[in-house]
Amino acid sequence: MVLRTRHCAQSGEPAIDTYDIAIVGAGPAGLSAALYAARYCRRTLVLHDGTARASRIPLTHNAPGFDAGIAGTDLLERMTRHAQKFGAQLVKARVVKLTAPESQFLLEDEKGAIWSARAVILATGLELNQIPLDDEMHETAIANGVLRYCPVCDGFEHKGARIAVLGCDISGAAEALFLSTYSDDVTLLPRREVELTREEQRDLGQAGIKVVSEAVSRFEPTKCEMRLHFEDQSEPLAFDVLYPALGCRPRSVLARQLGLVIEESGKVAATAPLGTEIPGLFCAGDVVDGLDQISVAMGHGAMAATRAHNWLRASDGDTVEAVLDLDGGNTAHG
């Protein structure tokens, strides 16, 4: 394969070296995409701001192959080394602007640095709506296991525990019902009583889930439990773990800048790893509508990089039938 390097420059300004594929984000999705793109012999650039959500995971048991669990930082370090081994370049930079003039994409960071790429994969992830604790106390509570945000990730580790779910309109009751699979001691604390529909109240009652209607006034994490203080109650309630179900903020700003259609959830379409309505733009990971899991993000990264690679081949007029066809027949298994 012959790699082509193009240059973009305005009159009187130095040329900007153009990468084949630029990836925004260095979580499991972005690093998987970088590995695949690099192994397709594409000039691959990863731009990231160092805030991958996976880096906050004390220990995950949902990453296939790590039956003893692995810390998020360790997983990301392994994935970073793996991608770099095959030639991916990582640069720490917070991309704030993405445009697509002519036949290339321009990525600009908050300091004004600009990179150019022929194809882009957005693996920008999401930000959680968190409970009001200072940063150090919040992260310590996560490290101690008394605060968790992902029932799918950690529910198994809380079998038989005293579980509290701080509810919201979208998912509080659903998360409490899900966690009742693992424990008979689940308490839901909706922020407003009107959040619960009649059907949800029925389902919660049948599952034996307690509902506390008083508003939480203060969160007090200790090393072994989460204590919740209430406005109308003198004694706090203690739980082994608290799961806030407060929703999230998908980091879809760059996608919006290009005019990509955004779902009601704030995420991009579930098909975005396979391509978008913007030629050369692909998305992967938690910014994509679907299940927010490490293994899903890795799969997205592999698909997006493969589609980007094939899109570049087609753009270069490669008439040889692609060996990598995600839609069937010729797909090789690696």
Side-chain angles (χ1 to χ4, degrees):
M1 179 190 306
V2 178
L3 299 182
R4 298 168 174 82
T5 302
R6 300 180 182 178
H7 295 274
C8 170
Q10 299 178 4
S11 177
E13 294 184 358
I16 301 173
D17 193 11
T18 299
Y19 290 83
D20 288 314
I21 300 174
I23 300 159
V24 184
L31 293 173
S32 292
L35 171 64
Y36 274 75
R39 285 178 56 83
Y40 291 143
C41 298
R42 292 293 178 184
R43 295 193 65 227
T44 302
L45 172 68
V46 179
L47 298 171
H48 71 100
D49 61 5
T51 62
R53 195 160 61 101
S55 65
R56 303 172 68 186
I57 300 173
L59 197 70
T60 177
H61 292 84
N62 275 9
F66 296 97
D67 58 326
I70 184 170
T73 51
D74 292 341
L75 179 64
L76 294 178
E77 287 173 5
R78 286 172 178 243
M79 295 183 69
T80 295
R81 290 197 304 268
H82 198 171
Q84 289 176 322
K85 176 180 179 179
F86 292 99
Q89 180 181 350
L90 272 75
V91 175
K92 190 172 183 179
R94 189 169 76 90
V95 178
V96 296
K97 186 177 181 180
L98 177 60
T99 57
E102 300 177 355
S103 59
Q104 64 194 7
F105 294 90
L106 295 179
L107 305 97
E108 183 174 346
D109 75 357
E110 57 187 351
K111 297 179 181 179
I114 297 175
W115 294 266
S116 172
R118 299 174 60 201
V120 165
I121 299 173
L122 294 179
T124 44
L126 57 81
E127 295 176 338
L128 293 170
N129 294 326
Q130 300 180 170
I131 60 173
L133 290 172
D134 67 64
D135 290 344
E136 183 178 356
M137 184 179 294
H138 187 275
E139 298 309 299
T140 299
I142 290 177
N144 288 337
V146 300
L147 178 61
R148 286 288 185 267
Y149 283 90
C150 179
V152 174
C153 304
D154 304 308
F156 188 92
E157 276 64 55
H158 295 122
K159 281 187 171 182
R162 299 170 298 167
I163 301 174
V165 178
L166 185 66
C168 73
D169 295 335
I170 298 173
S171 59
E175 289 199 10
L177 288 165
F178 174 80
L179 285 163
S180 69
T181 302
Y182 302 102
S183 175
D184 294 329
D185 190 351
V186 178
T187 301
L188 174 64
L189 302 102
R191 292 184 297 172
R192 296 180 302 279
E193 190 172 347
V194 294
E195 289 179 1
L196 299 177
T197 66
R198 187 173 302 173
E199 291 76 14
E200 287 173 332
Q201 292 177 21
R202 179 201 64 208
D203 293 342
L204 291 168
Q206 291 177 349
I209 295 171
K210 298 179 287 291
V211 178
V212 175
S213 58
E214 288 86 355
V216 178
S217 60
R218 184 164 65 91
F219 300 88
E220 183 191 357
T222 71
K223 190 171 184 179
C224 59
E225 64 184 15
M226 176 68 76
R227 296 173 184 165
L228 303 181
H229 297 260
F230 300 88
E231 294 176 354
D232 303 326
Q233 190 170 314
S234 58
E235 292 297 322
L237 293 180
F239 300 93
D240 297 311
V241 63
L242 169 67
Y243 281 88
L246 304 178
C248 64
R249 304 182 305 281
R251 301 176 70 177
S252 52
V253 173
L254 298 179
R256 292 178 188 273
Q257 288 179 1
L258 289 180
L260 197 64
V261 174
I262 304 299
E263 303 290 299
E264 186 177 347
S265 63
K267 298 187 175 188
V268 301
T271 56
L274 305 179
T276 67
E277 61 264 33
I278 299 171
L281 179 67
F282 307 82
C283 304
D286 292 349
V287 74
V288 175
D289 200 22
L291 183 63
D292 300 336
Q293 290 289 291
I294 289 172
S295 56
V296 174
M298 289 179 174
H300 281 178
M303 289 191 293
T306 302
R307 280 296 175 103
H309 169 65
N310 282 347
W311 181 82
L312 289 169
R313 292 183 65 174
S315 298
D316 290 339
D318 192 339
T319 58
V320 178
E321 183 178 357
V323 175
L324 301 162
D325 178 7
L326 289 174
D327 294 324
N330 293 325
T331 303
H333 296 278

